[in-house]
Structures are given as C-alpha cells and as structure tokens.
Amino acid sequence: RVRLVGHGDYRGAARAEEKLGANRANAVKNFLVKYGANPNQIDTQTEGNRRPKVTGRSPEGRFMNRRVEVT
C-alpha cells in the first residue's frame, strides 16, 4: 500500500492550496498507475499549506513546500 500526501505553499488561500495539494498527489498516483501500479493500493490525501517543510517566504522555500510525500 502507498500513501501520497500533497502539499502546497503559503501563497494561496487555504482552500486553493488544499486543491493544489490534492492535484499533486493525484498526478503522482496517475503516473504510478500508468506504469503498472494497482490503483486500489494507492491512497491520496492533501495537507494544503498546513505542514510546510521549511518556513519563510523565499522562492526556494516555496519550491520545497510544493511537494508530494510518499509513504
């Protein structure tokens, strides 16, 4: 089983960042399924901008916060 959690950065509204996080996680899921993974074994979630990896408002920090964590 695989869990994909999508994240966003600080720039957008919380609801918009949740949607972007979900889209990121679903994009990774679609990639894995395209190459043979069983879609029933992949769960997707979103954290939006609630759990940033790095704090601050630099372009590098925004880049690092827009991510998908795979567990």
Side-chain angles (χ1 to χ4, degrees):
R1 300 210 41 93
V2 176
R3 176 180 296 147
L4 305 171
V5 181
H7 296 269
D9 61 22
Y10 69 88
R11 291 187 77 175
R15 187 174 202 114
E17 292 299 324
E18 283 191 22
K19 185 175 179 181
L20 288 171
N23 289 344
R24 284 186 181 96
N26 285 323
V28 173
K29 178 179 180 175
N30 292 338
F31 175 85
L32 294 172
V33 169
K34 179 179 177 180
Y35 289 97
N38 183 344
N40 295 325
Q41 294 181 327
I42 302 172
D43 296 321
T44 60
Q45 297 177 345
T46 182
E47 285 290 331
N49 56 8
R50 291 186 298 263
R51 287 189 14 216
K53 185 171 186 168
V54 295
T55 57
R57 299 186 175 266
S58 69
E60 295 83 8
R62 284 187 17 239
F63 174 79
M64 292 174 72
N65 286 330
R66 294 186 304 247
R67 68 195 188 280
V68 174
E69 294 178 341
V70 180
T71 307

